[in-house]
Amino acid sequence: MTEDIKDQEAGNEEVESETPETSDAATENGADAADNADASESPAEDDAAEDEAAAEDEAAAAEDEAAAEDDAAEDDAAEDDAAEDEAAKDEASDEKDEEAAEAAGDEASEPSASEESAQDHVSEPTASGDASNVAGIAAFFDHPEHLMYAATQARDAKFERFDAFSPFPIHGMDEAMGLGRSWIPWVTFSAGAAGLMTAASLQFGIMGFDWPMVFGGKPFFAWPSFVPIMFELTVLFAGVTTALVMLVAAGCFRKNIIIDKDITNDRFALWIAADDKKFDREQVVEFMKSLNPTEIRTVKKDGN
């Protein structure tokens, strides 16, 4: 009986000794399972992160491609605009060349001086406060043909108060300036008629009515003897009146503006006065430049 009890206790001790070992094994198995679970979850997260990064890369690549397409479209548009501008410039250049050729063929006497030369000699613009002090603008030329061409252009531009100055008379200048017949002959005719009537009135009135006298048996109205006096007074009145009117019309009794002293020597000048109805300083200067003069000068009333 006692031996059975001992065997039973020994068996219980073995069971107790075995139980902790079993629990330790179970704990180890649980840890291994957790590690395996963590290991299985980690690759899945890595795959998801890689997929998300790949999607972001694809989106960035798509944006870059769209931006590149936009840049290419802008470059194409810029190239098209540049081509259009170049074509327009070519057309304008061709038109200018054609106009220059036509002008050279139509106007053989057009001045050959360059426009840059005229621009270098253009006087400084007059201030708006000194506009009333401007007497006019003069353009200078080296040859009489150039002055005649300039006068023709001024006539066609409908300027009224302009003049052409030359050291000597130029044949055809009156026609180039559009001048009609001078009114001075009408003054001469009127003065001569006044002289004739004065002589006839004096002689017929005195000899016929006021103080009639007989000379050599002649009648009171002996008109043949009156002819010399009528002729002399006709010439006297016509000549003196014409001279005075011509001097007044030429401005000899007023202070004249000296444009350039060399005009009486070897220079030719086209003058547009400031009292012309169409006078505008900038427009007149541009018109003068188109004539290709050697110099353009703004002249003031005080001569400076």
Side-chain angles (χ1 to χ4, degrees), residues 122-290:
V122 175
S123 57
E124 293 295 328
T126 305
S128 58
D130 298 332
S132 60
N133 193 32
V134 176
I137 299 177
F140 296 88
F141 304 89
D142 290 333
H143 302 284
E145 293 83 0
H146 297 171
L147 178 60
M148 185 175 294
Y149 170 79
T152 303
Q153 296 301 311
R155 177 201 66 194
D156 294 340
K158 304 302 181 182
F159 287 106
E160 297 179 359
R161 301 285 295 175
F162 75 96
D163 204 346
F165 297 97
S166 171
F168 51 84
I170 301 175
H171 181 69
M173 181 57 73
D174 292 347
E175 181 180 356
M177 295 179 62
L179 300 178
R181 183 176 176 84
S182 175
W183 53 272
I184 297 294
W186 291 104
V187 174
T188 304
F189 174 79
S190 300
L196 177 64
M197 295 301 295
T198 301
S201 300
L202 285 174
Q203 295 182 92
F204 282 100
I206 293 173
M207 298 301 295
F209 301 99
D210 188 27
W211 195 262
M213 296 179 68
V214 177
F215 291 93
K218 297 178 182 178
F220 296 140
F221 297 101
W223 66 267
S225 62
F226 301 160
V227 171
I229 302 301
M230 291 189 292
F231 172 78
E232 293 296 337
L233 282 185
T234 300
V235 173
L236 179 64
F237 276 46
V240 173
T241 304
T242 301
L244 292 176
V245 171
M246 181 185 65
L247 294 175
V248 172
C252 295
F253 297 103
R254 65 174 181 264
K255 184 181 178 180
N256 291 321
I257 299 173
I258 299 176
I259 302 174
D260 193 291
K261 295 181 180 180
D262 291 334
I263 290 178
T264 58
N265 184 21
D266 59 356
R267 301 198 77 180
F268 305 88
L270 176 69
W271 169 259
I272 298 180
D275 56 355
D276 190 278
K277 295 180 180 179
K278 293 185 60 178
F279 185 86
D280 181 86
R281 186 183 181 282
E282 295 181 358
Q283 294 180 0
V284 172
V285 169
E286 292 299 325
F287 169 75
M288 293 293 196
K289 288 181 180 179
S290 66

Side-chain angles (χ1 to χ4, degrees), residues 77-102:
E79 290 179 357
D80 294 337
D81 293 338
E84 292 178 357
D85 293 338
E86 186 175 359
K89 290 180 179 179
D90 293 338
E91 291 179 358
S93 177
D94 294 339
E95 291 178 356
K96 290 181 179 178
D97 293 339
E98 291 178 357
E99 292 177 356
E102 291 177 357

Side-chain angles (χ1 to χ4, degrees), residues 60-72:
E63 292 178 357
D64 294 338
E65 185 176 357
E69 291 178 355
D70 294 337
D71 293 337

